[in-house]
Amino acid sequence: LVEIFISHSMWQKYYEKTFPYLSQYPEMISWLEVEKQQDTEVNLGVWGVSQMEYGFTDLIKWLANGGTLKVDRKGKGKAKEADETRSHKKGALMFMIPGVNAASVQDSFPDVTFKAFNQFVNANFDDKISLATVLMVLFTMTDNTDLLNLHARQKHPTCDGEYASNTTGWMKSLARRIKAQLQGNTKILFTKSQFAQCAKEEDDIITSLASKLDALAEVLDLTPYDSQGAFQTKLHPVSYDAIQSVKTICPTSFECEDTKHGLLQATKIRGIPIVKLIKETSIYYNAAVLSGKCSKCKSIYYANHESIIKSNDNSVRVYLNTAQYLKIGCEIWVDRVFSNAVIGGMYSFHASAAAYTDFWNDAYGNTDSINGLRITCRHIWQAFIQESTRSIAFESKLHLELDNNIPINEVTTQAFSILGEGGRIRPADGHACSECTQPFSAVPDYIPQQDPAAVVGVDENSIVPPLAIQDPALEDNPNNIEPNASANDYINDVDADYAPVKMVVLDGIVMGLTHCAYDDCINDLGNAHGGVFCPHHEIIYGATCPHQNEWSKHSQNHSRQNLAGVRRMLQRPGENMPWEPATRGNAQPHDEESTERQRKHYFSPARFYCVETICAPCGTVIAWTKFDKSESPTNILNFLEDIYPTEESRPDYICIDKACLLLRSSIANGSWDMWSKTSRFIVDSYHYINHRTEDYICRKWCNPAPLNGSAPNLVVIAYDRQRNPYYKRAYNTQACEQLNSCLGGFESILKRMTPGNFNWFLHVMLFYHT
């Protein structure tokens, strides 16, 4: 039987050591011998409390508490020796409970009558004392049981040299903290006659207040000694279960937003859901969910959304941004603190839903071995979506409206189409800070180098390396355009007022989700788990395949039973194993045209090549998009035109590692006629240093911080601690590189997501980053 129902180690470690204690309790042995007990009175007589069922953990607590589950601090007149024996047994038994230690033992809330407590308040406090102050004093006593143990031990001396005192240093320290909490207004803790006797000396007030606290501890029975001075047992932390408030989850609106009619309680009494509520880190097991209904328009209001009936009986769900509680499961609700913590954990620690689930269950979900609540990664993902949709909708000044009862994957897809704004990050609209903008400067106040290829931070006191590859064809601009001409060449009025100079930085990170494998089709897969085509191309090509031999080899190499397949599963993102070539794939050089690989078959879905982002130099994300086959200049120019459609919206400088290639393509396709009126393309400093000796255009026109004064808005004069001036780059051109290092931590999470989840998750992370 032991092998069937429980492991040997569990039996020997816990069960075998516990049952011998039952020999002292024949009534429990008789109760255990009955197959099933249904008599409530019998259960109450044996266990001390009535429950639907009793487990092994209950039995250990029953033994540790002296043969009862009822925690009662009354009746302290028992012999001290017997209590000490019980205390030792209790410690040994509690140590054997799986997952439970002595720190989890709690005493019940003081079972003092209201009459006795009220008499103490009337006799010791001012008649104008507020309820808040009385409760503050009460909970100060129940929250400091360790201090009360120390005070009680000093109050009952047992050794030579000890003396009894009702106003020990422990209690005086607590009195001082109460005085500080009341900001010195301790007069309300005394009657008028008592306060007059204390005079106004600080020590007298503290001593008198300490004496009151000692008396209050006796009234509340918060002392480890009985009325005869005999030691019973140490005080444990006080449980607040007895005074836990009743939780209801209701709509936040008290009237219909359209008709202004009051809301009627719409949930039937028999159908009121009783759910678990996670509020911060506390779990409440009997929260009632109520809904309201407008008697005129028939709209139903819930705690987390509003259901509006449209034409033809179709209802729309309005996700309320002001909701205090969110539903993440059939019987689980959470507050906004919990859902915000989910997003914060995912963003700050690059945690997946599964990782955050394990963290929460280990930290909070299993603290109660009887009623511990375990959540799943589905709950965490639901909390992420519910919170993120409301946060972004609030920033967009609207309430998200979706069809009722749609799948969670469809929620992310529709939310991105409505709130994603084509990859634009709403908080970045109109962003301007000292790191992103600089006052316009028409004339440089420095010319330390005459060479236009000299760059700040590198060439102040050195010779600029010469151009290694001469290209006479590029010596003269074919269209008679100088993209980065001197500021003085296009400034007619030096004294005129110009807008601050702005810069944006672009870069891409090789990371993308799967899409249809058919050429030039980027539609979502019809089957995200194993499919290779979108629904349209699945109908056309799904059943036909002329590459049977190649397919057999492909399926064998990628199967889980194959050694290569196992190696693929064990491989970390971006990691090269010893059996693999030194380089995996060809990285696109920033200064060369990208090549597109032709697909030989459709055995696996295609992937987007990279995620491209536009950042401000301070790190604020302005927009993002996905590039399918390559980070080509054409894709980049189209992306820029989409984000900056008007001349007024365009930045003065656009920094990208492909700036020289972008400039060539822009001049070739004629788009430079448009961009030259407002913007200049420059290379980030890292790529410029490595590339200026090999490319004439990059050397002459894409310098990010020239020292010859040709771009006075890219270089500023700063001062060190000794007030010595030095030249400094006006903008951080590495902002996107720094962002990519952050986004790289999400690669392992993103590559397993469906398109809708990928777009929404990445958009949310960039939103919170901004």
Side-chain angles (χ1 to χ4, degrees):
L1 290 177
V2 173
E3 294 179 356
I4 295 176
F5 294 105
I6 199 169
S7 64
H8 280 287
S9 59
M10 189 70 176
W11 173 266
Q12 295 172 357
K13 189 174 181 180
Y14 300 109
Y15 287 76
E16 192 176 48
K17 296 180 180 179
T18 302
F19 286 117
Y21 288 100
L22 295 178
S23 60
Q24 305 176 23
Y25 303 97
E27 69 279 6
M28 176 57 76
I29 295 177
S30 300
W31 187 91
L32 291 172
E33 289 176 347
V34 178
E35 182 177 354
K36 187 175 183 181
Q37 290 285 358
Q38 297 180 347
D39 193 332
T40 303
E41 294 185 0
V42 174
N43 294 342
L44 185 61
V46 175
W47 289 90
V49 296
S50 179
Q51 297 180 180
M52 293 295 295
E53 59 182 17
Y54 302 90
F56 180 68
T57 304
D58 295 318
L59 179 62
I60 294 181
K61 289 185 177 180
W62 183 87
L63 289 168
N65 204 38
T68 181
L69 287 179
K70 184 178 181 180
V71 181
D72 189 1
R73 296 190 56 80
K74 298 293 184 180
K76 294 184 178 180
K78 297 180 181 180
K80 182 176 179 180
E81 293 80 6
D83 189 78
E84 288 179 348
T85 302
R86 193 188 81 173
S87 181
H88 289 303
K89 183 191 300 183
K90 182 175 182 178
L93 288 168
M94 293 304 294
F95 180 75
M96 290 193 296
I97 299 180
V100 177
N101 52 43
S104 64
V105 180
Q106 291 183 321
D107 291 336
S108 60
F109 195 80
D111 191 20
V112 60
T113 64
F114 179 77
K115 181 179 180 180
F117 185 74
N118 185 50
Q119 289 175 348
F120 178 87
V121 173
N122 290 332
N124 291 274
F125 297 154
D126 189 274
D127 56 1
K128 294 183 179 180
I129 189 171
S130 65
L131 175 62
T133 303
V134 173
L135 294 178
M136 183 273 290
V137 175
L138 172 62
F139 293 132
T140 297
M141 302 300 291
T142 57
D143 283 343
N144 292 278
T145 52
D146 289 336
L147 184 143
L148 296 180
N149 282 326
L150 294 166
H151 165 73
R153 174 60 184 83
Q154 189 172 344
K155 184 179 176 181
H156 297 82
T158 58
C159 301
D160 294 339
E162 296 181 339
Y163 61 91
S165 175
N166 292 341
T167 56
T168 63
W170 302 107
M171 198 60 80
K172 287 182 178 180
S173 297
L174 188 61
R176 289 188 177 91
R177 298 313 308 155
I178 291 178
K179 180 182 178 182
Q181 182 75 8
L182 295 174
Q183 299 180 353
N185 185 24
T186 54
K187 183 178 180 179
I188 57 177
L189 297 179
F190 298 90
T191 63
K192 294 181 179 179
S193 58
Q194 290 173 345
F195 191 76
Q197 294 176 1
C198 292
K200 294 185 179 180
E201 295 294 332
E202 176 77 12
D203 292 342
D204 293 341
I205 294 176
I206 295 300
T207 300
S208 180
L209 182 55
S211 179
K212 286 178 179 290
L213 296 178
D214 174 71
L216 179 58
E218 295 291 342
V219 171
L220 298 175
D221 198 20
L222 291 176
T223 173
Y225 294 84
D226 62 14
S227 56
Q228 285 75 37
F231 177 77
Q232 298 299 300
T233 181
K234 286 179 62 177
L235 297 176
H236 298 105
V238 174
S239 171
Y240 293 99
D241 292 343
I243 61 171
Q244 188 179 96
S245 61
V246 175
K247 302 296 182 183
T248 60
I249 303 175
C250 303
T252 56
S253 302
F254 66 92
E255 64 180 11
C256 180
E257 296 183 0
D258 297 326
T259 66
K260 303 303 179 184
H261 281 61
L263 299 180
L264 303 177
Q265 204 285 111
T267 309
K268 296 181 179 180
I269 296 178
R270 295 181 179 179
I272 295 178
I274 304 301
V275 301
K276 302 177 181 67
L277 172 62
I278 303 176
K279 194 171 183 180
E280 297 181 358
T281 58
S282 301
I283 306 173
Y284 302 92
Y285 289 92
N286 296 300
V289 182
L290 303 175
S291 60
K293 184 176 183 179
C294 176
S295 58
K296 187 174 182 180
C297 68
K298 307 304 181 183
S299 296
I300 301 177
Y301 287 76
Y302 298 91
N304 62 334
H305 69 275
E306 174 188 353
S307 181
I308 302 176
I309 299 177
K310 300 289 187 179
S311 59
N312 300 326
D313 296 330
N314 293 327
S315 61
V316 175
R317 174 172 296 190
V318 180
Y319 291 77
L320 301 176
N321 301 333
T322 56
Q324 296 182 358
Y325 301 106
L326 305 176
K327 183 179 180 181
I328 65 170
C330 293
E331 297 181 352
I332 300 178
W333 288 66
V334 299
D335 66 348
R336 299 294 291 272
V337 175
F338 177 94
S339 56
N340 267 300
V342 169
I343 296 183
M346 288 183 172
Y347 170 74
S348 300
F349 304 108
H350 299 89
S352 63
Y356 194 91
T357 300
D358 292 340
F359 157 74
W360 196 92
N361 283 330
D362 293 340
Y364 307 109
N366 296 326
T367 55
D368 189 339
S369 59
I370 299 176
N371 297 319
L373 172 66
R374 290 187 64 84
I375 58 177
T376 66
C377 56
R378 290 179 180 268
H379 295 139
I380 295 299
W381 182 244
Q382 185 74 240
F384 172 84
I385 295 173
Q386 296 288 343
E387 177 63 34
S388 59
T389 52
R390 287 168 172 81
S391 298
I392 297 181
F394 177 80
E395 187 68 28
S396 301
K397 296 180 175 57
L398 57 85
H399 291 287
L400 179 63
E401 296 186 10
L402 301 178
D403 294 336
N404 221 345
N405 300 321
I406 60 176
I408 189 64
N409 287 339
E410 189 64 24
V411 171
T412 57
T413 301
Q414 294 188 23
F416 182 75
S417 65
I418 297 173
L419 302 174
E421 301 185 56
R424 295 173 178 85
I425 306 299
R426 176 57 67 94
D429 288 351
H431 172 77
C433 66
S434 58
E435 296 183 41
C436 306
T437 60
Q438 295 290 337
F440 178 80
S441 177
V443 179
D445 50 4
Y446 63 92
I447 305 181
Q449 279 272 15
Q450 296 296 330
D451 194 328
V455 63
V456 169
V458 178
D459 302 316
E460 281 86 349
N461 300 309
S462 61
I463 299 175
V464 180
L467 184 66
I469 302 175
Q470 297 294 334
D471 191 351
L474 294 176
E475 289 293 339
D476 296 321
N477 194 321
N479 293 326
N480 198 25
I481 299 174
E482 289 195 0
N484 276 356
S486 172
N488 294 327
D489 292 340
Y490 57 89
I491 300 299
N492 298 323
D493 187 358
V494 177
D495 297 327
D497 292 332
Y498 291 91
V501 180
K502 297 182 180 180
M503 174 187 284
V504 297
V505 186
L506 277 80
D507 199 8
I509 177 173
V510 179
M511 175 178 61
L513 75 159
T514 56
H515 61 82
C516 179
Y518 191 76
D519 294 339
D520 299 324
C521 179
I522 59 174
N523 293 330
D524 296 345
L525 297 175
N527 178 13
H529 301 283
V532 296
F533 292 114
C534 64
H536 173 70
H537 289 111
E538 179 68 28
I539 297 175
I540 301 175
Y541 300 102
T544 60
C545 181
H547 309 90
Q548 294 298 327
N549 295 331
E550 291 87 345
W551 168 249
S552 299
K553 183 178 180 181
H554 175 85
S555 59
Q556 180 181 3
N557 291 338
H558 290 75
S559 65
R560 299 195 175 194
Q561 292 77 19
N562 186 273
L563 179 59
V566 174
R567 288 171 172 173
R568 285 177 56 253
M569 290 189 294
L570 296 177
Q571 178 180 321
R572 299 183 181 92
E575 181 181 30
N576 279 13
M577 293 300 182
W579 57 83
E580 295 179 322
T583 58
R584 304 179 60 213
N586 296 321
Q588 293 184 11
H590 78 282
D591 55 340
E592 296 180 10
E593 289 284 355
S594 56
T595 57
E596 298 181 0
R597 298 176 59 186
Q598 298 295 326
R599 297 181 63 89
K600 297 180 180 180
H601 52 69
Y602 298 133
F603 296 160
S604 58
R607 283 187 177 273
F608 285 94
Y609 174 73
C610 70
V611 172
E612 192 82 5
T613 55
I614 300 178
C615 288
C618 67
T620 298
V621 184
I622 298 172
W624 70 277
T625 190
K626 304 185 296 291
F627 289 162
D628 179 22
K629 297 180 179 180
S630 63
E631 191 183 11
S632 65
T634 302
N635 287 337
I636 296 172
L637 288 171
N638 292 337
F639 181 36
L640 287 170
E641 291 177 12
D642 182 50
I643 301 301
Y644 302 108
T646 62
E647 293 185 4
E648 294 77 14
S649 63
R650 292 171 191 154
D652 299 273
Y653 290 99
I654 299 173
C655 179
I656 184 172
D657 55 4
K658 295 175 178 285
C660 45
L661 185 59
L662 198 66
L663 182 58
R664 279 191 174 94
S665 299
S666 179
I667 294 174
N669 62 27
S671 62
W672 180 244
D673 295 336
M674 174 187 66
W675 285 104
S676 62
K677 299 176 182 178
T678 58
S679 308
R680 300 292 181 265
F681 296 141
I682 62 174
V683 180
D684 66 275
S685 55
Y686 173 78
H687 288 90
Y688 178 78
I689 295 171
N690 294 331
H691 197 224
R692 61 179 174 177
T693 61
E694 301 176 0
D695 190 284
Y696 174 79
I697 286 183
C698 185
R699 180 184 181 91
K700 184 174 182 180
W701 290 317
C702 299
N703 191 337
L707 275 172
N708 68 339
S710 60
N713 297 292
L714 293 178
V715 180
V716 295
I717 296 179
Y719 296 88
D720 59 18
R721 294 182 179 179
Q722 288 73 35
R723 304 300 300 169
N724 297 320
Y726 67 95
Y727 303 113
K728 175 185 174 182
R729 297 168 189 167
Y731 304 97
N732 173 26
T733 59
Q734 302 294 318
C736 272
E737 295 285 353
Q738 296 159 0
L739 173 65
N740 289 343
S741 65
C742 176
L743 292 181
F746 298 112
E747 182 181 3
S748 60
I749 304 173
L750 289 167
K751 71 179 184 179
R752 293 178 174 86
M753 287 187 174
T754 60
N757 291 345
F758 179 99
N759 293 334
W760 183 250
F761 183 86
L762 184 58
H763 189 76
V764 171
M765 291 298 102
L766 294 175
F767 175 88
Y768 275 81
H769 182 85
T770 300

